[in-house]
């Protein structure tokens, strides 16, 4: 996936062939190419993109780039290109056979390129064995999610973001003298202590706001109370999870894995994770952007749900690595 390389996509009926520009590890297509890809007209693509931008489902500046394009007459023009996030989002709005084929194709490519054939400087990472092993396990966990599931556009984009953000974070850690994944750039001083009663009040507010079945948030046993207590557990006066980030990561893990509620366990876990970070003033960076994107949180929650019990530590490391001070 080198910058400037070309990938050819062809639909199964042999009618559609698109030159895909790969730049900064994502594909870029013009509106005309997207229309050809999905077997529709350019005005339809313009409409879908405008609606996506208007509703803030995707941010225009993050998915659009002005690239130099050479026309058939040899002249060079500046042309708007849209990346994979935009193409996927449009593809899930277009109703056509080509759009369906493309969704199948992207899931296949996602698995082949990002899970089976991820491209990293292996020699460099092997110099920091802990980081390299952590990345290998992360990729395997991504594979666990991809194997049994047909992913939506948002879930697929989330998995891509988890992997790209995680490898970026590893690179940053490497530059910082091979520091640990879990204990660097975290925050030790909590401004908020989560209690069982406060957490249940937050869960009930979630149900009231968005609706839900009568079983949503209904506790099956005492395990949720235990999850809240466990993140504050200590031994010999030392917290087992000393930072806010580690507490948040384990809260997400425990709520997903303990299945404490009759319905909505993953939604409740993701909500409490965000709630806990927000209450401690760590949900947003200094520039006002979220430390972890919504689709990446969806992907992490799915990864935790599919992970094995002996993978708890690596899952916690992944989560902490994506929300610590380096990101």
């Amino acid at each position: 996936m080198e910058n400037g390389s070309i990938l050819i996509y062809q639909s199964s009926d042999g009618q559609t062939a698109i030159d895909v520009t790969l730049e900064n590890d994502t594909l870029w297509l013009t509106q005309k190419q997207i229309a050809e890809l999905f077997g529709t007209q350019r005005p339809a693509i313009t409409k879908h993109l405008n609606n996506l931008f208007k509703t803030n489902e995707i941010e225009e500046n993050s998915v659009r780039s002005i690239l130099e394009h050479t026309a058939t007459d040899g002249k060079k023009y500046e042309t708007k290109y849209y990346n994979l996030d935009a193409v996927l989002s449009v593809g899930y709005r277009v109703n056509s056979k080509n759009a369906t084929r493309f969704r199948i194709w992207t899931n296949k490519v996602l698995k082949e390129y990002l899970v089976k054939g991820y491209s990293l400087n292996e020699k460099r990472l092997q110099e920091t064995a802990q980081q390299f092993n952590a990345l290998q396990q992360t990729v395997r966990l991504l594979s666990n999610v991809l194997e049994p599931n047909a992913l939506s556009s948002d879930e697929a984009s989330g998995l891509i973001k988890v992997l790209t953000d995680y490898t970026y974070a590893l690179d940053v850690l490497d530059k910082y003298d091979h520091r640990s994944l879990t204990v660097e750039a975290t925050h030790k001083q909590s401004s908020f202590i989560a209690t069982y009663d406060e957490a249940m009040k937050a869960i009930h507010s979630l149900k009231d706001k968005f609706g839900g079945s009568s079983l949503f948030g209904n506790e099956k046993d005492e395990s949720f109370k235990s999850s809240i207590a466990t993140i504050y557990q200590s031994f010999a006066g030392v917290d087992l999870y000393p930072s806010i980030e580690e507490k948040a990561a384990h809260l997400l893990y425990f709520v997903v894995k303990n299945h404490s509620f009759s319905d909505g366990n993953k939604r409740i876990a993701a909500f409490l994770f965000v709630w806990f970070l927000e209450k401690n003033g760590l949900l947003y960076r200094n520039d006002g952007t979220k430390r972890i994107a919504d689709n990446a949180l969806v992907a992490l929650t799915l990864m935790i749900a599919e992970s094995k019990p002996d993978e708890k530590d690596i899952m916690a490391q992944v989560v902490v690595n994506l929300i610590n001070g380096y990101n």
Side-chain angles (χ1 to χ4, degrees):
M1 298 178 70
E2 298 292 334
N3 287 355
S5 62
I6 300 297
L7 182 68
I8 305 299
Y9 165 73
Q10 190 167 6
S11 60
S12 62
D13 60 6
Q15 296 300 310
T16 304
I18 302 293
D19 291 342
V20 180
T21 300
L22 291 174
E23 186 77 24
N24 295 327
D25 296 324
T26 188
L27 63 83
W28 295 91
L29 296 176
T30 65
Q31 288 191 21
K32 180 182 177 182
Q33 288 176 314
I34 298 172
E36 292 174 1
L37 182 64
F38 296 140
T40 188
Q41 300 300 312
R42 180 174 175 175
I45 302 303
T46 303
K47 181 189 72 174
H48 288 313
L49 284 170
N50 287 338
N51 287 336
L52 287 163
F53 299 147
K54 189 180 300 182
T55 58
N56 293 318
E57 291 183 49
I58 53 176
E59 295 181 8
E60 184 172 3
N61 290 335
S62 66
V63 300
R64 189 198 67 189
S65 182
I66 307 296
L67 301 177
E68 196 173 74
H69 172 68
T70 303
T72 53
D73 60 5
K75 295 182 180 180
K76 294 184 177 180
Y77 301 90
E78 288 189 343
T79 306
K80 292 180 181 179
Y81 283 81
Y82 299 86
N83 71 6
L84 179 62
D85 287 341
V87 175
L88 281 170
S89 298
V90 170
Y92 277 79
R93 289 183 172 226
V94 174
N95 183 20
S96 71
K97 290 182 179 179
N98 277 11
T100 300
R101 293 189 183 111
F102 181 77
R103 290 192 287 269
I104 295 171
W105 177 76
T106 51
N107 274 308
K108 181 174 182 290
V109 169
L110 174 66
K111 184 167 184 176
E112 289 179 352
Y113 280 89
L114 296 186
V115 179
K116 292 182 179 178
Y118 60 94
S119 177
L120 292 169
N121 187 336
E122 184 172 334
K123 181 179 179 181
R124 184 183 179 194
L125 284 174
Q126 283 179 332
E127 292 174 358
T128 55
Q130 181 186 9
Q131 296 174 10
F132 183 68
N133 291 336
L135 180 58
Q136 285 183 317
Q137 292 182 65
T138 304
V139 172
R140 189 178 70 253
L141 288 166
L142 286 168
S143 181
N144 290 344
V145 176
L146 285 168
E147 190 68 40
N149 299 300
L151 299 180
S152 68
S153 170
D154 197 54
E155 290 168 347
S157 298
L159 289 175
I160 293 171
K161 183 168 180 58
V162 167
L163 187 58
T164 55
D165 281 4
Y166 191 52
T167 54
Y168 171 76
L170 286 174
D171 187 51
V172 172
L173 288 169
D174 184 49
K175 292 174 184 176
Y176 279 77
D177 299 324
H178 314 311
R179 296 175 182 176
S180 170
L181 285 171
T182 58
V183 299
E184 295 296 328
T186 55
H187 300 76
K188 298 297 197 299
Q189 291 297 114
S190 297
S191 58
F192 169 76
I193 304 297
T195 65
Y196 167 76
D197 290 336
E198 286 291 322
M200 287 304 301
K201 187 184 299 183
I203 293 169
H204 290 146
S205 72
L206 177 67
K207 179 181 177 180
D208 294 339
K209 184 175 181 179
F210 296 104
S213 70
S214 59
L215 296 178
F216 184 89
N218 178 61
E219 293 180 89
K220 296 191 296 184
D221 49 35
E222 296 288 311
S223 59
F224 178 62
K225 186 176 291 186
S226 173
S227 296
I228 294 292
T230 301
I231 67 172
Y232 292 106
Q233 197 171 20
S234 62
F235 180 75
V238 178
D239 284 352
L240 291 180
Y241 311 117
S243 68
I244 297 171
E245 289 88 346
E246 288 168 281
K247 288 180 173 68
H250 284 87
L251 178 62
L252 177 64
Y253 183 90
F254 291 141
V255 177
V256 170
K257 284 303 206 183
N258 287 342
H259 300 283
S260 303
F261 303 96
S262 302
D263 181 47
N265 286 281
K266 289 193 285 292
R267 283 172 289 166
I268 290 170
F271 168 73
L272 289 176
F273 175 76
V274 171
W275 170 77
F276 185 81
L277 288 177
E278 195 276 331
K279 288 289 189 180
N280 277 289
L282 291 183
L283 181 59
Y284 298 95
R285 302 184 184 93
N286 291 335
D287 62 4
T289 59
K290 284 185 178 180
R291 287 186 181 275
I292 184 166
D294 293 340
N295 56 1
L297 178 55
V298 171
L300 283 173
T301 306
L302 288 171
M303 288 168 63
I304 289 173
E306 297 290 340
S307 66
K308 299 175 183 177
D310 61 1
E311 294 170 329
K312 179 177 79 70
D313 290 342
I314 183 60
M315 282 309 313
Q317 287 178 348
V318 171
V319 177
V320 171
N321 199 38
L322 290 176
I323 60 174
N324 65 13
Y326 292 139
N327 290 288

